[in-house]
Amino acid sequence: MPSRRAVDPGEMREAVAALRPWLDGEAPQPARAELAAAVRLSLRTLEQVAPGNSVEVRVPPFAAVQCVAGPRHTRGTPPNVVETNPRTWLLLATGRLGWAEALERGELTASGSRSDVSQWLPLVRVGNP
């Protein structure tokens, strides 16, 4: 399987920055295509900064990536899974929401001993959180 093209940091920043009013609670949810682009590019960035296959990060309905060095998982449900919704993911990716707070609120599930990917967050800063 060919490797994916590296994410252009400027492209990712632009996609996420376009959603800043929504993330700040000042605008309605963006169009599906805009939201999908920001989620996919930021997840692919996580995949690049934390390479590996031991943790699966899922942001339905847009994408899932494997990251973090460690034992590779190939079949069934991985032992290390992070799952959240698009808004929570982008709040985490921009540093507007902390990992522990998202877990506490029930906006994020993280199972498995390697599932805490907070050391790689935020991925991008856009304006003041």
Side-chain angles (χ1 to χ4, degrees):
M1 177 180 202
S3 64
R4 290 193 245 197
R5 174 181 66 88
V7 174
D8 176 327
E11 181 183 6
M12 191 266 291
R13 175 179 291 284
E14 187 177 302
V16 174
L19 305 184
R20 181 177 172 200
W22 176 62
L23 295 174
D24 290 343
E26 299 168 354
Q29 183 167 321
R32 182 178 171 88
E34 290 177 297
L35 188 52
V39 168
R40 289 177 182 143
L41 288 168
S42 57
L43 280 172
R44 285 181 46 216
T45 299
L46 175 65
E47 190 178 38
Q48 285 177 197
V49 300
N53 296 97
S54 69
V55 177
E56 186 166 288
V57 180
R58 302 173 180 167
V59 182
F62 299 117
V65 297
Q66 291 189 354
C67 57
V68 183
R72 180 180 182 86
H73 178 79
T74 57
R75 300 175 79 177
T77 302
N80 300 288
V81 177
V82 174
E83 188 165 338
T84 191
N85 62 69
R87 188 168 195 280
T88 299
W89 168 250
L90 292 171
L91 290 170
L92 289 164
T94 59
R96 287 173 155 70
L97 178 64
W99 184 265
E101 187 178 356
L103 280 170
E104 215 172 89
R105 291 183 186 176
E107 295 173 0
L108 169 73
T109 59
S111 62
S113 60
R114 296 175 179 269
S115 64
D116 184 343
V117 297
S118 62
Q119 68 182 346
W120 293 282
L121 300 172
L123 296 167
V124 63
R125 296 255 187 211
V126 288
N128 295 328

